[in-house]
Amino acid sequence: MTAIQLHYSHHLRRSTTQPRSRPPPPRRSHHIIISSAKSQPHCHHHNLSSRTLRAAVIGGGPAGSSAAEALAAGGIETFLIERNPSGSKPCGGAIPLCMLDEFSIPLSLVDRKVTRVNIVSPSNLTVDFSKTLGSQEFIAMLRREVLDSYLRSRAQSHGAQLISGLFTDLEIPTSSSAPYVVHYNIDGSKRSLHADVVIGADGAHSKVAKAISAGSYDYALAIQERIKLPDEKMRRYENLAEMYVGSDISPDFYGWVFPKCDHVAVGTGTARARGQIRRVYNSGIRERVRERISGGRVIKVEAHPIPAHPRPRRVRGRVALVGDSAGYVTKCAGEGIYFAAKSGRMCGEGVVRASRCGTRMIDEGDLRREYLERWDGEYRMMFRFLDGLERVFYGSDEGWEALVEMCGDEYVQRMSFESYLYKRMVRGDWWSDVKMMWRTLGSLVRARMIGREIDKLNGLGRKLVM
Ligand SMILES: Cc1cc2nc3c(=O)[nH]c(=O)nc-3n(C[C@H](O)[C@H](O)[C@H](O)COP(=O)(O)OP(=O)(O)OC[C@H]3O[C@@H](n4cnc5c(N)ncnc54)[C@H](O)[C@@H]3O)c2cc1C
């Protein structure tokens, strides 16, 4: 979460979706080859009188599990294909408070409740960004292996059938009611199943997106080291998250130290200079926190892309993309878990509505209307707004300094946390907004002056060395 999420909440509407409480349909066996869908007549919106609609969800992360849960709970025959159910996605694991409630995630899954957030500028000015957090408020830190497996199990308890296999290819039907053929491997052996609807939730490297020619997106590459600290150093991160900005850390992202169950995750990312992520920027964040992590032992190094914007096409035929596969990560904050789960659920519920609980075939128009338009209506402006903020503040040390200075402002903090923690519309008052705008301009002017002074000192330093 970053302060530049400031005010995106102006563009958010409160969610109305709630977890479903329908009893789960009976379980069926895994790995069956479904062929009856082939024999359906070629017409739009025909009723599926003798069977229910079948959906294949590819990828069992937050997006896929939430989609599968909504589909299965809504009466759709649902298959969830995940290549590595015991794996852990490289991720900071920070989620907003509202997600615990909206997705009924038990507190026992939360490793750390972060109640203190420091933001550190290029000149090492540290701002306490958590001054306005209420006594019951926190940022939840989870391990992804724990969260993902919980969400998958819940989808199963509603009747989704988990297939532990690697999706390999999708055959696109030539008629509007013929099934998609989903190919996958289990332990090297080839399998396939037929599905009326396919949801691509297979992350940033999505093969489903490729199969429907959804187009590519720009992406940031993030690198993260999990470091086990000596006890006395770990105590500092009991409930503290740190965010570092500066051109030494990334030209267009931030570096982080996030507390996990028994270690810290230290990372950074960049879209503009991906080739330098390891040598320059990973070293940069390590250097900035050198004292704080000294004596620590690296237990894992992980790198993964983070989409920078949605794909050109997110629905084609009866295939829809959700989560990272669609490109739903806020650009400057790198927040994607909530949006993955939310888009998965929204898409699943859209299919349930359009198919009248699985009794009717759907088409591309249904997916556009029931999923895409609703999603864009709710979030498009917010994603654009964050893009704009990134352009103003990210990219130069002067911009970062201004941003950090602004983050010290309690009004900025209140608005940022309201929007991040609750994903809800916050009405700022216009006078505070005007004052904040002036303060922002002031920060930018001052930061540019500081930047020039730093440049002068650097120049002087170089001359002295020569
Ligand atoms: C280093 C890093 C740190 C991050 N930190 C945060 C953070 O703190 N907070 C936050 O909100 N977001 C964070 N993000 C972003 C977040 O991780 C993603 O936005 C989120 O995981 C998207 O969820 P998803 O379900 O769409 O995709 P994923 O979580 O990527 O899940 C995709 C699933 O599909 C499976 N899969 C892929 N291909 C196949 C296949 N061919 N067959 C079968 N299964 C397949 C994968 O195994 C995986 O389980 C971070 C990202 C990175 C890289």
Side-chain angles (χ1 to χ4, degrees), residues 405-436:
E405 191 182 321
M406 250 177 67
C407 290
D409 186 299
E410 294 204 4
Y411 179 69
V412 171
Q413 296 192 7
R414 197 157 41 79
M415 300 302 272
S416 302
F417 271 112
E418 274 289 303
S419 59
Y420 170 71
L421 290 179
Y422 303 109
K423 303 279 178 274
R424 74 179 170 211
M425 181 123 136
V426 200
R427 291 209 184 286
D429 68 273
W430 69 271
W431 178 233
S432 299
D433 282 348
V434 170
K435 283 196 292 189
M436 194 190 68

PDB file of all heavy atoms in Angstrom, residues 405-436:
ATOM      1  N   GLU A 405       7.157  13.658   1.898  1.00  0.00           N
ATOM      2  CA  GLU A 405       6.773  14.810   2.718  1.00  0.00           C
ATOM      3  C   GLU A 405       5.245  14.867   2.846  1.00  0.00           C
ATOM      4  O   GLU A 405       4.706  15.057   3.935  1.00  0.00           O
ATOM      5  CB  GLU A 405       7.302  16.090   2.077  1.00  0.00           C
ATOM      6  CG  GLU A 405       7.168  17.278   3.012  1.00  0.00           C
ATOM      7  CD  GLU A 405       7.653  18.589   2.390  1.00  0.00           C
ATOM      8  OE1 GLU A 405       8.671  18.572   1.676  1.00  0.00           O
ATOM      9  OE2 GLU A 405       6.973  19.607   2.609  1.00  0.00           O
ATOM     10  N   MET A 406       4.578  14.659   1.730  1.00  0.00           N
ATOM     11  CA  MET A 406       3.112  14.680   1.733  1.00  0.00           C
ATOM     12  C   MET A 406       2.526  13.594   2.636  1.00  0.00           C
ATOM     13  O   MET A 406       1.477  13.761   3.246  1.00  0.00           O
ATOM     14  CB  MET A 406       2.614  14.403   0.318  1.00  0.00           C
ATOM     15  CG  MET A 406       1.990  15.576  -0.343  1.00  0.00           C
ATOM     16  SD  MET A 406       1.561  15.068  -1.991  1.00  0.00           S
ATOM     17  CE  MET A 406       0.285  13.870  -1.710  1.00  0.00           C
ATOM     18  N   CYS A 407       3.239  12.469   2.687  1.00  0.00           N
ATOM     19  CA  CYS A 407       2.731  11.344   3.478  1.00  0.00           C
ATOM     20  C   CYS A 407       2.730  11.638   4.971  1.00  0.00           C
ATOM     21  O   CYS A 407       2.117  10.917   5.754  1.00  0.00           O
ATOM     22  CB  CYS A 407       3.560  10.084   3.223  1.00  0.00           C
ATOM     23  SG  CYS A 407       3.291   9.421   1.594  1.00  0.00           S
ATOM     24  N   GLY A 408       3.457  12.676   5.371  1.00  0.00           N
ATOM     25  CA  GLY A 408       3.458  13.057   6.781  1.00  0.00           C
ATOM     26  C   GLY A 408       2.151  13.740   7.167  1.00  0.00           C
ATOM     27  O   GLY A 408       1.823  13.858   8.348  1.00  0.00           O
ATOM     28  N   ASP A 409       1.401  14.187   6.178  1.00  0.00           N
ATOM     29  CA  ASP A 409       0.176  14.944   6.406  1.00  0.00           C
ATOM     30  C   ASP A 409      -0.947  14.015   6.887  1.00  0.00           C
ATOM     31  O   ASP A 409      -1.241  13.000   6.250  1.00  0.00           O
ATOM     32  CB  ASP A 409      -0.195  15.601   5.070  1.00  0.00           C
ATOM     33  CG  ASP A 409      -1.378  16.538   5.209  1.00  0.00           C
ATOM     34  OD1 ASP A 409      -2.469  16.057   5.597  1.00  0.00           O
ATOM     35  OD2 ASP A 409      -1.192  17.724   4.922  1.00  0.00           O
ATOM     36  N   GLU A 410      -1.578  14.366   7.995  1.00  0.00           N
ATOM     37  CA  GLU A 410      -2.584  13.445   8.566  1.00  0.00           C
ATOM     38  C   GLU A 410      -3.815  13.306   7.679  1.00  0.00           C
ATOM     39  O   GLU A 410      -4.442  12.262   7.630  1.00  0.00           O
ATOM     40  CB  GLU A 410      -2.971  13.900   9.976  1.00  0.00           C
ATOM     41  CG  GLU A 410      -1.800  13.765  10.922  1.00  0.00           C
ATOM     42  CD  GLU A 410      -2.196  13.635  12.366  1.00  0.00           C
ATOM     43  OE1 GLU A 410      -3.395  13.568  12.668  1.00  0.00           O
ATOM     44  OE2 GLU A 410      -1.259  13.606  13.206  1.00  0.00           O
ATOM     45  N   TYR A 411      -4.142  14.383   6.972  1.00  0.00           N
ATOM     46  CA  TYR A 411      -5.301  14.300   6.063  1.00  0.00           C
ATOM     47  C   TYR A 411      -5.002  13.293   4.951  1.00  0.00           C
ATOM     48  O   TYR A 411      -5.818  12.438   4.625  1.00  0.00           O
ATOM     49  CB  TYR A 411      -5.589  15.687   5.486  1.00  0.00           C
ATOM     50  CG  TYR A 411      -6.748  15.716   4.511  1.00  0.00           C
ATOM     51  CD1 TYR A 411      -8.053  15.507   4.952  1.00  0.00           C
ATOM     52  CD2 TYR A 411      -6.528  15.946   3.151  1.00  0.00           C
ATOM     53  CE1 TYR A 411      -9.114  15.535   4.066  1.00  0.00           C
ATOM     54  CE2 TYR A 411      -7.590  15.978   2.259  1.00  0.00           C
ATOM     55  CZ  TYR A 411      -8.877  15.767   2.719  1.00  0.00           C
ATOM     56  OH  TYR A 411      -9.921  15.792   1.848  1.00  0.00           O
ATOM     57  N   VAL A 412      -3.779  13.383   4.417  1.00  0.00           N
ATOM     58  CA  VAL A 412      -3.359  12.443   3.362  1.00  0.00           C
ATOM     59  C   VAL A 412      -3.407  11.015   3.898  1.00  0.00           C
ATOM     60  O   VAL A 412      -3.902  10.095   3.249  1.00  0.00           O
ATOM     61  CB  VAL A 412      -1.934  12.790   2.868  1.00  0.00           C
ATOM     62  CG1 VAL A 412      -1.399  11.714   1.944  1.00  0.00           C
ATOM     63  CG2 VAL A 412      -1.922  14.141   2.175  1.00  0.00           C
ATOM     64  N   GLN A 413      -2.911  10.839   5.114  1.00  0.00           N
ATOM     65  CA  GLN A 413      -2.889   9.485   5.699  1.00  0.00           C
ATOM     66  C   GLN A 413      -4.300   8.934   5.886  1.00  0.00           C
ATOM     67  O   GLN A 413      -4.571   7.784   5.578  1.00  0.00           O
ATOM     68  CB  GLN A 413      -2.175   9.517   7.049  1.00  0.00           C
ATOM     69  CG  GLN A 413      -0.721   9.889   6.931  1.00  0.00           C
ATOM     70  CD  GLN A 413       0.052   9.638   8.213  1.00  0.00           C
ATOM     71  OE1 GLN A 413      -0.459   9.071   9.173  1.00  0.00           O
ATOM     72  NE2 GLN A 413       1.307  10.055   8.225  1.00  0.00           N
ATOM     73  N   ARG A 414      -5.173   9.784   6.392  1.00  0.00           N
ATOM     74  CA  ARG A 414      -6.536   9.316   6.663  1.00  0.00           C
ATOM     75  C   ARG A 414      -7.216   8.882   5.373  1.00  0.00           C
ATOM     76  O   ARG A 414      -7.814   7.818   5.285  1.00  0.00           O
ATOM     77  CB  ARG A 414      -7.322  10.431   7.358  1.00  0.00           C
ATOM     78  CG  ARG A 414      -8.579   9.972   8.040  1.00  0.00           C
ATOM     79  CD  ARG A 414      -9.024  10.919   9.145  1.00  0.00           C
ATOM     80  NE  ARG A 414      -8.890  12.329   8.822  1.00  0.00           N
ATOM     81  CZ  ARG A 414      -9.741  13.017   8.059  1.00  0.00           C
ATOM     82  NH1 ARG A 414     -10.789  12.422   7.563  1.00  0.00           N
ATOM     83  NH2 ARG A 414      -9.541  14.290   7.809  1.00  0.00           N
ATOM     84  N   MET A 415      -7.065   9.739   4.341  1.00  0.00           N
ATOM     85  CA  MET A 415      -7.706   9.409   3.068  1.00  0.00           C
ATOM     86  C   MET A 415      -7.093   8.148   2.456  1.00  0.00           C
ATOM     87  O   MET A 415      -7.789   7.300   1.904  1.00  0.00           O
ATOM     88  CB  MET A 415      -7.563  10.580   2.084  1.00  0.00           C
ATOM     89  CG  MET A 415      -8.193  11.872   2.549  1.00  0.00           C
ATOM     90  SD  MET A 415      -9.939  11.695   2.890  1.00  0.00           S
ATOM     91  CE  MET A 415     -10.618  12.017   1.307  1.00  0.00           C
ATOM     92  N   SER A 416      -5.769   8.032   2.563  1.00  0.00           N
ATOM     93  CA  SER A 416      -5.085   6.879   1.960  1.00  0.00           C
ATOM     94  C   SER A 416      -5.508   5.578   2.633  1.00  0.00           C
ATOM     95  O   SER A 416      -5.824   4.585   1.967  1.00  0.00           O
ATOM     96  CB  SER A 416      -3.567   7.017   2.075  1.00  0.00           C
ATOM     97  OG  SER A 416      -3.151   8.196   1.465  1.00  0.00           O
ATOM     98  N   PHE A 417      -5.518   5.589   3.972  1.00  0.00           N
ATOM     99  CA  PHE A 417      -5.869   4.361   4.672  1.00  0.00           C
ATOM    100  C   PHE A 417      -7.335   3.992   4.506  1.00  0.00           C
ATOM    101  O   PHE A 417      -7.675   2.821   4.392  1.00  0.00           O
ATOM    102  CB  PHE A 417      -5.500   4.441   6.158  1.00  0.00           C
ATOM    103  CG  PHE A 417      -4.098   3.959   6.402  1.00  0.00           C
ATOM    104  CD1 PHE A 417      -3.101   4.819   6.811  1.00  0.00           C
ATOM    105  CD2 PHE A 417      -3.782   2.625   6.185  1.00  0.00           C
ATOM    106  CE1 PHE A 417      -1.806   4.366   7.004  1.00  0.00           C
ATOM    107  CE2 PHE A 417      -2.486   2.162   6.380  1.00  0.00           C
ATOM    108  CZ  PHE A 417      -1.491   3.037   6.793  1.00  0.00           C
ATOM    109  N   GLU A 418      -8.205   5.009   4.516  1.00  0.00           N
ATOM    110  CA  GLU A 418      -9.632   4.724   4.289  1.00  0.00           C
ATOM    111  C   GLU A 418      -9.801   3.986   2.968  1.00  0.00           C
ATOM    112  O   GLU A 418     -10.510   2.997   2.862  1.00  0.00           O
ATOM    113  CB  GLU A 418     -10.426   6.031   4.224  1.00  0.00           C
ATOM    114  CG  GLU A 418     -10.864   6.550   5.568  1.00  0.00           C
ATOM    115  CD  GLU A 418     -11.960   5.699   6.189  1.00  0.00           C
ATOM    116  OE1 GLU A 418     -12.999   5.519   5.556  1.00  0.00           O
ATOM    117  OE2 GLU A 418     -11.743   5.211   7.306  1.00  0.00           O
ATOM    118  N   SER A 419      -9.137   4.500   1.952  1.00  0.00           N
ATOM    119  CA  SER A 419      -9.330   3.908   0.628  1.00  0.00           C
ATOM    120  C   SER A 419      -8.629   2.559   0.519  1.00  0.00           C
ATOM    121  O   SER A 419      -9.161   1.631  -0.082  1.00  0.00           O
ATOM    122  CB  SER A 419      -8.847   4.851  -0.461  1.00  0.00           C
ATOM    123  OG  SER A 419      -7.492   5.139  -0.264  1.00  0.00           O
ATOM    124  N   TYR A 420      -7.449   2.430   1.130  1.00  0.00           N
ATOM    125  CA  TYR A 420      -6.737   1.151   1.026  1.00  0.00           C
ATOM    126  C   TYR A 420      -7.408   0.065   1.875  1.00  0.00           C
ATOM    127  O   TYR A 420      -7.697  -1.040   1.382  1.00  0.00           O
ATOM    128  CB  TYR A 420      -5.275   1.306   1.456  1.00  0.00           C
ATOM    129  CG  TYR A 420      -4.589  -0.039   1.594  1.00  0.00           C
ATOM    130  CD1 TYR A 420      -4.283  -0.794   0.467  1.00  0.00           C
ATOM    131  CD2 TYR A 420      -4.305  -0.579   2.837  1.00  0.00           C
ATOM    132  CE1 TYR A 420      -3.707  -2.055   0.579  1.00  0.00           C
ATOM    133  CE2 TYR A 420      -3.724  -1.834   2.965  1.00  0.00           C
ATOM    134  CZ  TYR A 420      -3.431  -2.571   1.829  1.00  0.00           C
ATOM    135  OH  TYR A 420      -2.874  -3.806   1.950  1.00  0.00           O
ATOM    136  N   LEU A 421      -7.675   0.404   3.143  1.00  0.00           N
ATOM    137  CA  LEU A 421      -8.163  -0.632   4.053  1.00  0.00           C
ATOM    138  C   LEU A 421      -9.575  -1.074   3.738  1.00  0.00           C
ATOM    139  O   LEU A 421      -9.927  -2.229   3.909  1.00  0.00           O
ATOM    140  CB  LEU A 421      -8.132  -0.126   5.501  1.00  0.00           C
ATOM    141  CG  LEU A 421      -6.772   0.067   6.147  1.00  0.00           C
ATOM    142  CD1 LEU A 421      -6.946   0.589   7.567  1.00  0.00           C
ATOM    143  CD2 LEU A 421      -5.970  -1.232   6.176  1.00  0.00           C
ATOM    144  N   TYR A 422     -10.411  -0.127   3.269  1.00  0.00           N
ATOM    145  CA  TYR A 422     -11.826  -0.446   3.122  1.00  0.00           C
ATOM    146  C   TYR A 422     -12.310  -0.441   1.683  1.00  0.00           C
ATOM    147  O   TYR A 422     -13.440  -0.813   1.405  1.00  0.00           O
ATOM    148  CB  TYR A 422     -12.666   0.536   3.956  1.00  0.00           C
ATOM    149  CG  TYR A 422     -12.274   0.513   5.405  1.00  0.00           C
ATOM    150  CD1 TYR A 422     -11.602   1.587   5.978  1.00  0.00           C
ATOM    151  CD2 TYR A 422     -12.521  -0.612   6.185  1.00  0.00           C
ATOM    152  CE1 TYR A 422     -11.201   1.547   7.311  1.00  0.00           C
ATOM    153  CE2 TYR A 422     -12.124  -0.657   7.514  1.00  0.00           C
ATOM    154  CZ  TYR A 422     -11.462   0.429   8.076  1.00  0.00           C
ATOM    155  OH  TYR A 422     -11.069   0.377   9.381  1.00  0.00           O
ATOM    156  N   LYS A 423     -11.474   0.014   0.771  1.00  0.00           N
ATOM    157  CA  LYS A 423     -11.856   0.068  -0.643  1.00  0.00           C
ATOM    158  C   LYS A 423     -13.239   0.707  -0.787  1.00  0.00           C
ATOM    159  O   LYS A 423     -14.112   0.176  -1.455  1.00  0.00           O
ATOM    160  CB  LYS A 423     -11.871  -1.338  -1.272  1.00  0.00           C
ATOM    161  CG  LYS A 423     -10.561  -2.071  -1.153  1.00  0.00           C
ATOM    162  CD  LYS A 423      -9.582  -1.615  -2.214  1.00  0.00           C
ATOM    163  CE  LYS A 423      -8.244  -2.288  -2.119  1.00  0.00           C
ATOM    164  NZ  LYS A 423      -7.277  -1.712  -1.224  1.00  0.00           N
ATOM    165  N   ARG A 424     -13.403   1.789  -0.094  1.00  0.00           N
ATOM    166  CA  ARG A 424     -14.707   2.410  -0.173  1.00  0.00           C
ATOM    167  C   ARG A 424     -14.571   3.902  -0.440  1.00  0.00           C
ATOM    168  O   ARG A 424     -13.513   4.496  -0.225  1.00  0.00           O
ATOM    169  CB  ARG A 424     -15.499   2.179   1.105  1.00  0.00           C
ATOM    170  CG  ARG A 424     -15.009   3.000   2.263  1.00  0.00           C
ATOM    171  CD  ARG A 424     -15.852   2.742   3.491  1.00  0.00           C
ATOM    172  NE  ARG A 424     -15.236   3.338   4.660  1.00  0.00           N
ATOM    173  CZ  ARG A 424     -15.345   2.861   5.878  1.00  0.00           C
ATOM    174  NH1 ARG A 424     -16.015   1.770   6.098  1.00  0.00           N
ATOM    175  NH2 ARG A 424     -14.772   3.470   6.890  1.00  0.00           N
ATOM    176  N   MET A 425     -15.686   4.425  -0.872  1.00  0.00           N
ATOM    177  CA  MET A 425     -15.726   5.837  -1.213  1.00  0.00           C
ATOM    178  C   MET A 425     -15.558   6.693   0.039  1.00  0.00           C
ATOM    179  O   MET A 425     -16.250   6.526   1.018  1.00  0.00           O
ATOM    180  CB  MET A 425     -17.093   6.121  -1.816  1.00  0.00           C
ATOM    181  CG  MET A 425     -17.244   7.536  -2.237  1.00  0.00           C
ATOM    182  SD  MET A 425     -17.661   7.520  -3.955  1.00  0.00           S
ATOM    183  CE  MET A 425     -18.957   8.721  -3.962  1.00  0.00           C
ATOM    184  N   VAL A 426     -14.550   7.572   0.000  1.00  0.00           N
ATOM    185  CA  VAL A 426     -14.388   8.490   1.118  1.00  0.00           C
ATOM    186  C   VAL A 426     -14.657   9.886   0.584  1.00  0.00           C
ATOM    187  O   VAL A 426     -14.111  10.268  -0.445  1.00  0.00           O
ATOM    188  CB  VAL A 426     -12.933   8.510   1.627  1.00  0.00           C
ATOM    189  CG1 VAL A 426     -12.871   9.042   3.034  1.00  0.00           C
ATOM    190  CG2 VAL A 426     -12.268   7.174   1.512  1.00  0.00           C
ATOM    191  N   ARG A 427     -15.489  10.585   1.265  1.00  0.00           N
ATOM    192  CA  ARG A 427     -15.727  11.968   0.837  1.00  0.00           C
ATOM    193  C   ARG A 427     -14.763  12.861   1.586  1.00  0.00           C
ATOM    194  O   ARG A 427     -14.900  13.072   2.778  1.00  0.00           O
ATOM    195  CB  ARG A 427     -17.147  12.393   1.147  1.00  0.00           C
ATOM    196  CG  ARG A 427     -18.149  11.694   0.300  1.00  0.00           C
ATOM    197  CD  ARG A 427     -19.394  12.525   0.078  1.00  0.00           C
ATOM    198  NE  ARG A 427     -20.343  11.740  -0.675  1.00  0.00           N
ATOM    199  CZ  ARG A 427     -20.230  11.470  -1.961  1.00  0.00           C
ATOM    200  NH1 ARG A 427     -19.232  11.973  -2.660  1.00  0.00           N
ATOM    201  NH2 ARG A 427     -21.102  10.718  -2.582  1.00  0.00           N
ATOM    202  N   GLY A 428     -13.761  13.437   0.854  1.00  0.00           N
ATOM    203  CA  GLY A 428     -12.886  14.424   1.467  1.00  0.00           C
ATOM    204  C   GLY A 428     -13.662  15.727   1.488  1.00  0.00           C
ATOM    205  O   GLY A 428     -14.577  15.912   0.716  1.00  0.00           O
ATOM    206  N   ASP A 429     -13.311  16.639   2.428  1.00  0.00           N
ATOM    207  CA  ASP A 429     -14.022  17.910   2.331  1.00  0.00           C
ATOM    208  C   ASP A 429     -13.228  18.845   1.429  1.00  0.00           C
ATOM    209  O   ASP A 429     -11.998  18.794   1.371  1.00  0.00           O
ATOM    210  CB  ASP A 429     -14.310  18.497   3.717  1.00  0.00           C
ATOM    211  CG  ASP A 429     -13.053  18.939   4.413  1.00  0.00           C
ATOM    212  OD1 ASP A 429     -12.435  18.071   5.082  1.00  0.00           O
ATOM    213  OD2 ASP A 429     -12.669  20.092   4.267  1.00  0.00           O
ATOM    214  N   TRP A 430     -13.935  19.684   0.669  1.00  0.00           N
ATOM    215  CA  TRP A 430     -13.297  20.416  -0.430  1.00  0.00           C
ATOM    216  C   TRP A 430     -12.209  21.344   0.067  1.00  0.00           C
ATOM    217  O   TRP A 430     -11.178  21.507  -0.557  1.00  0.00           O
ATOM    218  CB  TRP A 430     -14.339  21.186  -1.261  1.00  0.00           C
ATOM    219  CG  TRP A 430     -14.965  22.340  -0.532  1.00  0.00           C
ATOM    220  CD1 TRP A 430     -16.059  22.314   0.235  1.00  0.00           C
ATOM    221  CD2 TRP A 430     -14.470  23.686  -0.499  1.00  0.00           C
ATOM    222  NE1 TRP A 430     -16.305  23.542   0.764  1.00  0.00           N
ATOM    223  CE2 TRP A 430     -15.344  24.412   0.335  1.00  0.00           C
ATOM    224  CE3 TRP A 430     -13.382  24.343  -1.068  1.00  0.00           C
ATOM    225  CZ2 TRP A 430     -15.168  25.757   0.594  1.00  0.00           C
ATOM    226  CZ3 TRP A 430     -13.203  25.692  -0.804  1.00  0.00           C
ATOM    227  CH2 TRP A 430     -14.084  26.391   0.029  1.00  0.00           C
ATOM    228  N   TRP A 431     -12.394  21.928   1.285  1.00  0.00           N
ATOM    229  CA  TRP A 431     -11.405  22.879   1.781  1.00  0.00           C
ATOM    230  C   TRP A 431     -10.095  22.141   2.107  1.00  0.00           C
ATOM    231  O   TRP A 431      -9.001  22.604   1.765  1.00  0.00           O
ATOM    232  CB  TRP A 431     -11.976  23.612   3.006  1.00  0.00           C
ATOM    233  CG  TRP A 431     -11.029  24.595   3.634  1.00  0.00           C
ATOM    234  CD1 TRP A 431     -10.651  24.655   4.929  1.00  0.00           C
ATOM    235  CD2 TRP A 431     -10.320  25.668   2.964  1.00  0.00           C
ATOM    236  NE1 TRP A 431      -9.761  25.674   5.129  1.00  0.00           N
ATOM    237  CE2 TRP A 431      -9.540  26.324   3.942  1.00  0.00           C
ATOM    238  CE3 TRP A 431     -10.259  26.125   1.651  1.00  0.00           C
ATOM    239  CZ2 TRP A 431      -8.720  27.398   3.641  1.00  0.00           C
ATOM    240  CZ3 TRP A 431      -9.431  27.208   1.350  1.00  0.00           C
ATOM    241  CH2 TRP A 431      -8.676  27.838   2.332  1.00  0.00           C
ATOM    242  N   SER A 432     -10.237  20.951   2.722  1.00  0.00           N
ATOM    243  CA  SER A 432      -9.025  20.162   3.001  1.00  0.00           C
ATOM    244  C   SER A 432      -8.365  19.745   1.691  1.00  0.00           C
ATOM    245  O   SER A 432      -7.136  19.693   1.583  1.00  0.00           O
ATOM    246  CB  SER A 432      -9.368  18.911   3.800  1.00  0.00           C
ATOM    247  OG  SER A 432      -9.939  19.259   5.014  1.00  0.00           O
ATOM    248  N   ASP A 433      -9.184  19.442   0.679  1.00  0.00           N
ATOM    249  CA  ASP A 433      -8.619  19.060  -0.622  1.00  0.00           C
ATOM    250  C   ASP A 433      -7.813  20.204  -1.221  1.00  0.00           C
ATOM    251  O   ASP A 433      -6.713  20.017  -1.746  1.00  0.00           O
ATOM    252  CB  ASP A 433      -9.734  18.667  -1.598  1.00  0.00           C
ATOM    253  CG  ASP A 433     -10.252  17.256  -1.311  1.00  0.00           C
ATOM    254  OD1 ASP A 433      -9.597  16.539  -0.533  1.00  0.00           O
ATOM    255  OD2 ASP A 433     -11.301  16.896  -1.854  1.00  0.00           O
ATOM    256  N   VAL A 434      -8.389  21.427  -1.128  1.00  0.00           N
ATOM    257  CA  VAL A 434      -7.678  22.588  -1.695  1.00  0.00           C
ATOM    258  C   VAL A 434      -6.369  22.808  -0.942  1.00  0.00           C
ATOM    259  O   VAL A 434      -5.303  22.978  -1.548  1.00  0.00           O
ATOM    260  CB  VAL A 434      -8.568  23.863  -1.608  1.00  0.00           C
ATOM    261  CG1 VAL A 434      -7.755  25.107  -1.959  1.00  0.00           C
ATOM    262  CG2 VAL A 434      -9.764  23.732  -2.533  1.00  0.00           C
ATOM    263  N   LYS A 435      -6.449  22.726   0.414  1.00  0.00           N
ATOM    264  CA  LYS A 435      -5.227  22.935   1.204  1.00  0.00           C
ATOM    265  C   LYS A 435      -4.181  21.885   0.843  1.00  0.00           C
ATOM    266  O   LYS A 435      -3.001  22.168   0.709  1.00  0.00           O
ATOM    267  CB  LYS A 435      -5.559  22.854   2.705  1.00  0.00           C
ATOM    268  CG  LYS A 435      -6.240  24.124   3.209  1.00  0.00           C
ATOM    269  CD  LYS A 435      -6.218  24.208   4.731  1.00  0.00           C
ATOM    270  CE  LYS A 435      -7.100  23.154   5.342  1.00  0.00           C
ATOM    271  NZ  LYS A 435      -7.325  23.240   6.762  1.00  0.00           N
ATOM    272  N   MET A 436      -4.678  20.644   0.661  1.00  0.00           N
ATOM    273  CA  MET A 436      -3.733  19.579   0.335  1.00  0.00           C
ATOM    274  C   MET A 436      -3.065  19.816  -1.017  1.00  0.00           C
ATOM    275  O   MET A 436      -1.889  19.576  -1.198  1.00  0.00           O
ATOM    276  CB  MET A 436      -4.446  18.244   0.341  1.00  0.00           C
ATOM    277  CG  MET A 436      -3.472  17.094   0.347  1.00  0.00           C
ATOM    278  SD  MET A 436      -4.353  15.591   0.065  1.00  0.00           S
ATOM    279  CE  MET A 436      -4.864  15.821  -1.594  1.00  0.00           C
TER     280      MET A 436
END
